[in-house]
Amino acid sequence: QVQLVESGGGVVQPGGSLRLSCAASGFTFSNYGMHWVRQAPGKGLEWVAFIRYDGSNKYYADSVKGRFTISRDNSKNTLYLQMNSLRAEDTAMYYCAKVVGGTTHYFDYWGQGTLVTVSS
Amino acid sequence: EIVLTQSPGTLSLSPGERATLSCRASQSVSSNYLAWYQQKPGQAPRLLIYGASSRATGIPDRFSGSGSGTDFTLTISRLEPEDFAVYYCQQYGSSPHSFGQGTKLEIK
């Protein structure tokens, strides 16, 4: 069965960095685009970033552009989110999500999330 | 950027009643690429509807989606106790793939 398992969250000071990982199994990871979506405590969902199945195309929400980098290693079935220059407003649960297929950008599987807290 | 506005913010109903949730877009959603998700406390979202009206695999037929252009609706025909949750719409026709702010469906 499809599994997405995030890791790498934690407490970091403002201006610091973190790298999140999402380990995928149960499907052919290299065939699917992947996204990161975040949710601040008690708030709604916010789309963060997308990467094409082969890594050739990426795009970002304006709120993270220039600070976050999405990447993937298809040989390791793993998605990453490098987060630099972190701010208090980046505090959130971060989910990785798999697209249903093709060029669509809605999500049939989500991980359980990893919590990032930016605080001094 | 397409902004999605969901209404109402909170909907209080009883089991067995019909729920109607609205999602309005600030501009037309390309190809009606509109999805609905359900989220329960402490859980990841679950896909309910895609393409505005197609049910995802395993979703009961009491859930239905409708609409086009800028106005979309999620209807739950007869509420079951497990349906009380937060519901989000998402447009995926253009980047950024924005979400609405959510509608909380609570037991009256």
Side-chain angles (χ1 to χ4, degrees):
Chain A
Q1 70 282 20
V2 172
Q3 277 200 307
L4 299 170
V5 180
E6 301 95 337
S7 60
V11 180
V12 61
Q13 292 188 336
S17 298
L18 275 180
R19 188 176 83 154
L20 307 184
S21 299
C22 169
S25 61
F27 66 103
T28 304
F29 179 70
S30 58
N31 286 353
Y32 291 88
M34 297 291 295
H35 292 250
W36 288 98
V37 176
R38 68 184 181 183
Q39 186 169 34
K43 303 297 184 182
L45 301 170
E46 179 187 13
W47 173 78
V48 173
F50 160 76
I51 186 167
R52 205 171 111 117
Y53 67 93
D54 59 359
S56 63
N57 192 19
K58 310 171 187 181
Y59 44 90
Y60 302 89
D62 285 346
S63 57
V64 307
K65 201 174 296 182
R67 300 187 299 122
F68 289 13
T69 302
I70 189 171
S71 63
R72 64 192 297 159
D73 186 337
N74 286 345
S75 68
K76 295 182 179 179
N77 291 341
T78 303
L79 174 73
Y80 302 101
L81 186 68
Q82 177 67 44
M83 304 187 296
N84 298 331
S85 303
L86 283 161
R87 306 167 179 167
E89 55 265 36
D90 296 318
T91 294
M93 184 72 78
Y94 283 75
Y95 296 100
C96 61
K98 168 189 168 293
V99 304
V100 169
T103 57
T104 62
H105 295 288
Y106 63 99
F107 317 122
D108 56 354
Y109 289 95
W110 300 63
Q112 283 305 300
T114 187
L115 182 62
V116 172
T117 303
V118 183
S119 173
S120 54
Chain B
E1 174 180 348
I2 296 178
V3 176
L4 300 179
T5 302
Q6 293 186 239
S7 62
T10 302
L11 185 58
S12 300
L13 294 171
S14 300
E17 291 193 292
R18 180 185 185 91
T20 303
L21 288 66
S22 174
C23 176
R24 179 163 291 177
S26 60
Q27 54 189 281
S28 185
V29 176
S30 173
S31 302
N32 294 329
Y33 282 166
L34 192 288
W36 289 92
Y37 300 87
Q38 175 194 69
Q39 188 179 33
K40 297 180 179 180
Q43 295 185 17
R46 176 174 73 142
L47 176 67
L48 300 175
I49 301 286
Y50 62 94
S53 60
S54 297
R55 266 189 305 277
T57 302
I59 300 304
D61 60 8
R62 64 180 181 274
F63 290 91
S64 63
S66 62
S68 65
T70 60
D71 289 297
F72 299 89
T73 301
L74 175 70
T75 301
I76 311 171
S77 58
R78 294 172 309 280
L79 285 166
E80 298 287 344
E82 62 267 28
D83 298 337
F84 292 91
V86 180
Y87 292 83
Y88 295 95
C89 57
Q90 179 220 359
Q91 68 81 21
Y92 54 96
S94 61
S95 179
H97 304 297
S98 43
F99 290 88
Q101 83 280 17
T103 290
K104 182 180 182 181
L105 179 56
E106 64 177 24
I107 299 177
K108 187 173 182 180

